[in-house]
Amino acid sequence: MTDAHDTAADSPLRTTGGAPPDDGGTGGTSASRAAEPVPLLEPREGIPPVIADADGLAAVVAAFAAGTGPVAVDAERASGYRYGQSAYLVQLRREGAGSALVDPVACPDLSALGEAIADAEWVLHAATQDLPCLREIGMVPGRIFDTELAGRLAGFPRVGLGAMVESVLGYVLEKGHSAVDWSTRPLPEPWLRYAALDVELLVDLRDALEKELERQGKLEWALQEFDAIASAPPPAPRKDPWRRTSGMHKVRRRRQLAVVRELWEARDRIARRRDVSPGKVLGDAAIVEAALALPANVHALTALSGFGNRMGRRQLEQWQAAVDRARALPESALPLPGQAVAGPPPPRAWADKDPAAAARLSAARAAVSARAEELRMPQENLIAPDTVRRVCWTPPGTVDAASVGDALAAHGARPWQVEQVTPLLVAALAARA
């Protein structure tokens, strides 16, 4: 923190249009509402050099190990350009160390850096997006503070980093480079400036949000949420990922499903080998088009949208080969429509399958919605909708506070959520069709 910037330590919560509803606390004065946000154009110490060798990395490790307080951490990926969600730039900032930009392509093992700040609280914005790619390069936090999630719990209607920095701290971040190809080398200076500014005020934002959460009586809730994110294991691989192809609702017949599967898997192999986004190899719309048409040869395939003149003969032949494989499968090898889902059926089917469960769910949803509105937070942050569905579909044998609380906890609800939601569900589970 420097005198050049208003910080959470010496200024009240700003409310320049995106603050939580004014409930008479410190965050809603007319004077602060009238304050014009200030463009933040340069990092305090200038744009740091990109660390791309062992010596530079060792210096950063030493500096951040010697720093104090929380560490702002961010990562830039090349979504839509490269295969997977790997990090192509890591940004950090800590009191006493300043800011650092690290190239994880040139320095693919950042475990020493992760260990140097392992005991510190890591401040991230939308942590669940960045933690997987950070984990890949050896950076695993013990404690986190997620400023996006904090904003949701505090009732901010807009929780993007730029919106939060503007409404809470009164500064405008330039966000024009969020969707660029971060695998580009060398990275242009304007992109590096943008990246450094993303961590410039992250700790200041954290401090202000901590005060706001404490004022609202929600700080302990937020800490439980942060602990849950930090301790969560990596997600299991998704079963049958090809079923998530955009436009799949048009595909009904099993043979057509097989075409989608074959084309999706062929595309995935090519994209992985070339390290490009699968959508740049073949679009979802083209896959669905081929599945519906079941072309018998390359000539028929070429006539379909997405397989036009820009494709070479070799490419067309590889896609037709995938279609031919699906056409040749025996009936027993064709995928079944739909996807086996563990747990209750889709809510739209409840009224027919189990009217009593439908009544319970309707009552539970209404109660959760009302309570979330009282608490000024999104319903999904008060309790996961899937958890409500599961408890309503298969309620405890004896419905009371203890059994419902145990059921919520078994589905991953945090203690604060169990406390808030249990009375609502106890009442809702008594609802009758």
Side-chain angles (χ1 to χ4, degrees), residues 177-196:
H177 304 299
S178 60
V180 299
D181 181 3
W182 287 95
S183 66
T184 300
R185 294 295 183 273
L187 287 165
E189 182 177 298
W191 299 11
L192 297 175
R193 179 181 296 106
Y194 157 88

Side-chain angles (χ1 to χ4, degrees), residues 56-281:
L57 180 58
V60 167
V61 169
F64 275 78
T68 59
V71 184
V73 182
D74 191 21
E76 304 296 345
R77 300 177 298 279
S79 303
Y81 297 94
R82 296 289 181 175
Y83 186 89
Q85 294 294 318
S86 297
Y88 285 92
L89 187 69
V90 175
Q91 308 102 279
L92 307 97
R93 183 173 181 84
R94 192 179 195 186
E95 184 73 24
S99 294
L101 303 178
V102 182
D103 181 357
V105 177
C107 303
D109 182 5
L110 299 187
S111 55
L113 179 56
E115 291 167 6
I117 57 175
D119 293 335
E121 178 189 78
W122 296 20
V123 184
L124 303 103
H125 192 82
T128 54
Q129 295 182 21
D130 287 340
L131 288 179
C133 68
L134 292 171
R135 188 181 290 114
E136 285 182 2
I137 53 180
M139 297 186 65
V140 182
R143 293 182 295 129
I144 70 165
F145 190 106
D146 186 335
T147 49
E148 184 201 48
L149 181 51
R152 292 181 184 278
L153 295 175
F156 285 81
R158 297 166 59 230
V159 293
L161 180 59
M164 293 293 291
V165 167
E166 180 175 344
S167 61
V168 176
L169 300 177
Y171 288 94
V172 178
L173 293 179
E174 194 265 308
K175 300 297 290 182
H177 304 299
S178 60
V180 299
D181 181 3
W182 287 95
S183 66
T184 300
R185 294 295 183 273
L187 287 165
E189 182 177 298
W191 299 11
L192 297 175
R193 179 181 296 106
Y194 157 88
L197 288 174
D198 263 4
V199 292
E200 181 78 6
L201 295 177
L202 205 51
V203 173
D204 296 340
L205 179 61
R206 172 240 179 270
D207 292 344
L209 289 172
E210 181 182 58
K211 290 183 178 180
E212 179 63 15
L213 288 167
E214 188 170 22
R215 184 184 72 81
Q216 295 185 24
K218 298 175 181 176
L219 181 57
E220 176 56 32
W221 303 356
L223 296 178
Q224 290 180 27
E225 293 297 304
F226 302 157
D227 287 344
I229 294 173
S231 61
R238 185 174 284 134
K239 184 181 179 182
D240 291 346
W242 58 270
R243 292 185 183 270
R244 296 177 64 85
T245 303
S246 180
M248 277 291 290
H249 63 281
K250 303 175 186 176
V251 183
R252 304 293 176 82
R253 292 158 49 194
R254 293 178 64 191
R255 185 73 59 187
Q256 294 172 332
L257 291 171
V259 173
V260 173
R261 181 177 64 187
E262 290 293 335
L263 285 171
W264 190 97
E265 291 178 349
R267 179 184 70 174
D268 193 66
R269 289 191 296 270
I270 295 168
R272 185 188 296 270
R273 184 178 71 245
R274 291 169 49 190
D275 189 21
V276 297
S277 169
K280 289 188 174 297
V281 176

